[in-house]
Amino acid sequence: MHDDVRNILLAGVGGQGTLLASELLSEALLLAGYDVKKSEIHGMSQRGGSVTSHVRFGSRVLSPLIDDGQADILFGFELLETYRYLPMLRRGGAVFANSQRILPAPVAVGTASYPQEIQEKLRRACPGTHFVDGLTLACEAGHPRTVNTVLLGALSTALDISPAIWREVISGKVPAQFLQENLRAFELGRDSQADAPPAMQAAD
Amino acid sequence: MSKRLMSGNEAIARGAFEAGVRVASAYPGTPSTEILENLVSYPDVDASWAPNEKVALEVGIGASFGGVRSLVAMKHVGVNVAADPLFTLSYIGVRGGLVLACADDPEMHSSQNEQDSRNYAKFAKVPMFEPADSEEARSFTRLAFEVSEQFDTPVMLRSNTRISHGKSIVHPQAPVADLPAPGLLRDPAKMVMLPANARDRHPLVEKRIAAVADWACTQPFNRVETGSGKIGVITAGIAYQYARQLLPQAHILKLGMVYPLPQPLIRDFAARCETLYVIEELDPFIEEQVRAMGIAVIGKELIPICGELTPGRLAAALHGSRPAATYVHAEPLPGRPPNMCAGCSHRGVFATLKRLDAFVTGDIGCYTLGFLPPLSAMDTCVCMGAGISNATGLIKALPEQERHRVVAVMGDSTFLHTGINSLIDMIYNGGRGTVVLLDNRVTAMTGRQENPGSGYTLAGIESPPIDLAALCRVLGVQHVEVLDPYDLAQTEQVLRREMARPELSVVIARRPCMLDRRHGPEPAVALTVIEERCSACRICMKLGCPAISWQQDDQQPKALIDQQLCSGCGLCRQLCKFEAIEVHNAR
């Protein structure tokens, strides 16, 4: 019954648009006909804290929380946060990671260090890790704030959801004056994965 | 309407609208805040922020007296504030149905305790629904109003962080039509709870709760899911989802109404199972009542009593192991602790109190973050309004030579919540002490809601803001001073003077929350460090401002200001003795 449930964990830093991305993702999955549940802790987004969102979808979803080692996709908006939540990824799971670094306060004030060679460590843990240069593509789309939509475009290549559904969902949530740049950002993100190997393994 | 994804809070608001609620009152509190924020958008609902939860419930009771359905919402600790009217309302009952929606916070993601509000239902003898997803949040809220009127009782609906802030599919229904018209009705035996009347009502309360318990045995919200095998589980709320997922073969009695319990249903279920578990988060609320029925169960000896009951923790409790993490970090990772925003008007006050070696009795709001390093400028924090009353008691206890160090700190919304009463006590009972009111003109921590000092209501209507300085003077405070917390010199001068004064003073640090665009445009000015003048003394780092970082990798480490984050408040520039921080450019 719950065996076909798949799990996507989004992780980022407050202010990057992680929660908006999880909104768009959930709405797209709903339109695609799945039962969907999502879960997150509000409040730290304004204050630059770590932000995660659990999205689960399938024919019937029970728990709204993903357990350790159960995420099919780890969708990271910032390198340290992606690395931090690696223990949530299941064997054979996929990683989509934005290549941006945002220094946390302990690093900024000099009492801690940003881990070295995160990209290498991610590749070793998950050889097919998809890195996305979100900020560059967002600027190409028209504005750095569209980073989250770029990343969503990249993630969309791992899901069987029609472009029409994505367009409908983005149009529904994004204010009219930002719509064009967001649709462009989504396309750029999607195209950045054009040569990448298939992401999703069959559910066990 | 077609199915939609909604959070539990959105769904509760939807259910209240469908039930024809006309009046709603609440005080913001994570994770309940969005209930009223959503309800205000529906037509024909008068939804407002009350200064505190007791007032909110009393407003709801008044609406019920007038014959309309009312919803009151709060977080778990808010029920503590509303408890007085709740217990007597249980005796009074309702005219228009009344539902009290409360949201618990297991794991204390943003609260000072993780009390289990289900205990209130049993204590106050009122029925309580507990939804397991957003669709139940909607349908149980709607049903709760019918139960309230049918059985003449307030009804509680208990949510928690996972339900309130999680989203799942909801099937909205058409709202009810043809509710009775409101009006005045005299019924003193019911509405005036002096002892003679109350004595007559209590036996009715006992009869009522028994009647609800009977009725609940045949309702679909308490259902048995038959499995195979010998294991049975009694569960409710979010714990049901985890139990169902982890034990796909078990027989499950899912309770939608967690008080009163449907005892015959439970007995019947227990008789069919060889081993019976009660799987619930936090307290053994259901477990103890089932044991009292003489039924053997496995509960808290296995299931954790502290913290959130996640699927992993439940798996560890039931199976002795939880799904293994597939990756283990070789090194400790830096955290991302929360912090006050760059430009927060509280920062300068805490930095100054730290310099003056004040012992700070604090309170609840964004300013509670003043506890965190490097400011580390809060020494106590108990509950809403306690900052001032704790100071009063502490000063009474201390020898004379230490008293001047005690400073109470409280935000504007907290002060209007219950701090006024604390100040009255400090004035009335021989008052001394220094009270700092951090007036940023908004209820900030919960997401910048309006309050009686902000100038607007929840519905966006202008409402003359309370003049806090005048209020303190009228209450009898002789020494009231307003300062600008962006002016460090003034802040230190005033606080130093008032701490030394052996009389009661109120210092109001007034500057709007820097996120609030109503009080001014986006900050246009950013500051920058002039590298050749920076002596690396690190005094600016003591502010803990997220815009200031330390360039430790350079040959000669310097401070660096992030142009995107800096709001131009100027505190760092005032602290710097080397004139190494200047205005950079207008944005």
Side-chain angles (χ1 to χ4, degrees):
Chain A
M1 184 174 55
H2 66 271
D3 293 323
D4 69 351
V5 173
R6 284 181 288 167
N7 308 302
I8 303 177
L9 180 70
L10 294 86
V13 176
Q16 287 193 288
T18 313
L19 296 187
L20 177 58
S22 84
E23 281 287 304
L24 293 167
L25 174 60
S26 306
E27 293 292 342
L29 290 165
L30 177 70
L31 282 179
Y34 296 104
D35 184 21
V36 186
K37 283 190 181 175
K38 81 164 178 128
S39 185
E40 60 230 1
I41 302 297
H42 295 177
M44 289 303 113
S45 28
Q46 182 55 53
R47 297 170 185 88
S50 183
V51 171
T52 58
S53 184
H54 299 225
V55 178
R56 309 189 72 220
F57 63 103
S59 42
R60 185 186 173 199
V61 178
L62 293 163
S63 164
L65 278 183
I66 303 170
D67 218 344
D68 282 6
Q70 303 285 300
D72 295 286
I73 303 179
L74 172 57
F75 180 22
F77 284 55
E78 191 275 343
L79 280 178
L80 173 56
E81 297 312 305
T82 311
Y83 185 51
R84 190 193 306 282
Y85 288 100
L86 210 41
M88 296 291 288
L89 190 67
R90 69 165 178 82
R91 289 211 186 288
V95 177
F96 284 80
N98 186 19
S99 48
Q100 201 175 345
R101 289 184 355 156
I102 299 178
L103 301 193
V107 172
V109 304
T111 55
S113 305
Y114 202 93
Q116 301 291 312
E117 298 170 350
I118 285 188
Q119 300 208 357
E120 266 317 299
K121 287 169 177 160
L122 285 172
R123 275 199 197 90
R124 256 181 275 144
C126 176
T129 295
H130 307 250
F131 289 102
V132 184
D133 189 350
L135 204 48
T136 303
L137 293 175
C139 292
E140 201 181 308
H143 200 286
R145 79 180 139 238
T146 61
V147 163
N148 55 343
T149 320
V150 167
L151 300 174
L152 201 57
L155 174 71
S156 72
T157 57
L159 301 167
D160 194 14
I161 299 176
S162 74
I165 284 180
W166 286 110
R167 206 169 306 123
E168 184 180 336
V169 154
I170 294 171
S171 309
K173 284 271 181 196
V174 171
Q177 76 250 51
F178 304 133
L179 184 56
Q180 282 318 307
E181 68 193 24
N182 273 281
L183 290 174
R184 177 97 185 101
F186 186 85
E187 288 308 313
L188 287 172
R190 202 170 164 91
D191 292 343
S192 76
Q193 299 304 302
D195 304 318
M200 287 292 282
Q201 308 299 318
D204 293 321
Chain B
M1 283 180 69
S2 55
K3 65 181 179 180
R4 299 172 43 189
L5 273 177
M6 283 184 160
S7 69
N9 284 349
E10 290 175 304
I12 291 169
R14 174 74 202 180
F17 163 71
E18 290 178 8
V21 160
R22 288 289 170 267
V23 174
S25 183
Y27 182 78
T30 309
S32 71
T33 310
E34 296 81 3
I35 297 172
L36 266 261
E37 288 182 330
N38 275 277
L39 200 40
V40 75
S41 309
Y42 284 101
D44 301 323
V45 184
D46 182 323
S48 60
W49 292 128
N52 68 41
E53 294 86 349
K54 173 179 187 287
V55 172
L57 179 51
E58 290 158 353
V59 168
I61 294 170
S64 172
F65 285 160
V68 302
R69 291 182 168 181
S70 64
L71 179 96
V72 182
M74 58 198 67
K75 65 185 291 175
H76 57 336
V77 288
V79 185
N80 303 337
V81 181
D84 190 10
L86 174 63
F87 281 83
T88 303
L89 181 64
S90 176
Y91 283 32
I92 289 172
V94 301
R95 265 192 74 201
L98 188 148
V99 172
L100 193 161
C102 68
D104 285 8
D105 188 7
E107 201 77 18
M108 295 163 271
H109 295 290
S110 38
S111 303
Q112 63 271 36
N113 74 36
E114 54 182 7
Q115 67 186 58
D116 188 333
S117 296
R118 293 177 300 167
N119 291 290
Y120 270 109
K122 185 161 183 284
F123 194 0
K125 302 179 201 258
V126 300
M128 175 183 265
F129 283 99
E130 184 166 14
D133 57 33
S134 295
E135 170 57 15
E136 287 190 346
R138 181 201 65 79
S139 66
F140 288 178
T141 299
R142 184 180 177 137
L143 178 61
F145 286 97
E146 292 170 29
V147 171
S148 175
E149 288 169 4
Q150 183 182 341
F151 292 93
D152 188 18
T153 173
V155 175
M156 293 180 77
L157 181 110
R158 185 241 193 186
S159 178
N160 67 15
T161 306
R162 285 299 154 213
I163 301 295
S164 281
H165 284 174
K167 286 202 175 191
S168 59
I169 291 176
V170 171
H171 301 274
Q173 306 295 311
V176 298
D178 302 328
L179 288 174
L184 286 173
L185 185 74
R186 281 209 166 86
D187 192 348
K190 178 179 169 63
M191 296 182 190
V192 182
M193 284 301 99
L194 43 70
N197 291 345
R199 251 175 243 125
D200 288 340
R201 298 295 298 182
H202 186 189
L204 299 180
V205 172
E206 301 301 330
K207 285 202 186 79
R208 170 190 81 202
I209 208 69
V212 174
D214 257 346
W215 172 81
C217 288
T218 56
Q219 299 307 305
F221 52 73
N222 290 333
R223 67 167 188 259
V224 173
E225 294 177 359
T226 305
S228 56
K230 306 182 169 125
I231 295 183
V233 173
I234 302 176
T235 185
I238 190 70
Y240 158 78
Q241 305 290 1
Y242 306 149
R244 181 77 283 176
Q245 183 168 293
L246 278 169
L247 303 169
Q249 309 306 324
H251 309 283
I252 291 190
L253 169 56
K254 177 188 181 302
L255 298 173
M257 181 178 274
V258 289
Y259 190 79
L261 293 182
Q263 294 198 7
L265 202 59
I266 292 174
R267 271 191 214 290
D268 196 62
F269 181 74
R272 287 194 262 152
C273 308
E274 235 179 70
T275 314
L276 188 55
Y277 291 87
V278 175
I279 296 182
E280 56 189 335
E281 197 170 44
L282 297 176
D283 291 351
F285 179 73
I286 296 172
E287 176 185 336
E288 283 179 353
Q289 294 178 76
V290 174
R291 278 187 208 274
M293 289 164 63
I295 297 171
V297 293
I298 301 170
K300 289 297 162 181
E301 63 263 49
L302 211 59
I303 314 290
I305 194 169
C306 294
E308 183 175 358
L309 183 63
T310 62
R313 286 176 182 170
L314 182 57
L318 293 175
H319 304 321
S321 69
R322 53 187 297 173
T326 49
Y327 183 86
V328 176
H329 295 112
E331 73 276 66
L333 300 183
R336 277 188 207 269
N339 193 357
M340 293 182 257
C341 304
C344 175
S345 47
H346 302 329
R347 183 166 273 116
V349 174
F350 284 111
T352 306
L353 288 171
K354 179 81 185 272
R355 277 157 70 94
L356 298 175
D357 197 23
F359 188 94
V360 176
T361 55
D363 218 298
I364 294 175
C366 276
Y367 52 95
T368 317
L369 293 170
F371 163 77
L372 295 172
L375 290 170
S376 302
M378 185 172 288
D379 297 290
T380 73
C381 181
V382 179
C383 63
M384 296 283 288
I388 296 176
S389 19
N390 285 164
T392 304
L394 181 53
I395 288 167
K396 287 178 199 248
L398 289 173
E400 178 63 41
Q401 65 269 24
E402 294 216 65
R403 288 175 169 177
H404 68 280
R405 287 178 60 201
V406 177
V407 176
V409 166
M410 183 178 294
D412 54 307
S413 194
T414 315
F415 182 64
L416 294 169
H417 182 281
T418 36
I420 296 178
N421 290 50
S422 303
L423 183 62
I424 289 173
D425 180 72
M426 191 183 252
I427 299 163
Y428 173 56
N429 281 316
R432 314 176 36 151
T434 310
V435 173
V436 179
L437 297 182
L438 300 169
D439 184 8
N440 61 0
R441 284 197 74 180
V442 77
T443 303
M445 189 49 138
T446 37
R448 297 199 315 281
Q449 288 79 35
E450 310 293 350
N451 64 40
S454 72
Y456 297 90
T457 65
L458 169 59
I461 297 165
E462 281 194 53
S463 185
I466 294 179
D467 181 337
L468 295 183
L471 175 59
C472 292
R473 287 193 186 99
V474 154
L475 289 176
V477 180
Q478 299 294 315
H479 310 283
V480 178
E481 183 141 359
V482 177
L483 61 77
D484 178 3
Y486 275 4
D487 183 338
L488 277 184
Q490 182 196 26
T491 301
E492 176 154 345
Q493 180 194 39
V494 173
L495 286 177
R496 191 183 287 279
R497 184 185 69 225
E498 297 309 324
M499 281 171 71
R501 191 198 298 275
E503 290 160 47
L504 199 161
S505 0
V506 173
V507 176
I508 301 175
R510 177 174 297 151
R511 194 168 262 276
C513 171
M514 62 77 60
L515 292 174
D516 195 337
R517 291 282 72 84
R518 279 181 313 197
H519 299 292
E522 187 99 41
V525 165
L527 302 179
T528 190
V529 174
I530 312 291
E531 285 198 15
E532 51 272 19
R533 289 193 218 150
C534 175
S535 73
C537 73
R538 294 183 66 116
I539 196 171
C540 56
M541 304 297 294
K542 289 191 171 151
L543 289 170
C545 175
I548 308 176
S549 61
W550 187 246
Q551 298 306 289
Q552 56 194 334
D553 297 326
D554 295 359
Q555 264 188 323
Q556 279 172 307
K558 304 272 179 221
L560 176 72
I561 296 175
D562 182 319
Q563 299 297 294
Q564 293 307 311
L565 289 177
C566 177
S567 74
C569 73
L571 290 180
C572 53
R573 184 164 143 201
Q574 294 170 57
L575 275 183
C576 180
K577 296 184 179 26
F578 299 93
E579 294 179 2
I581 297 177
E582 293 295 342
V583 171
H584 184 218
N585 57 345
R587 283 194 274 248

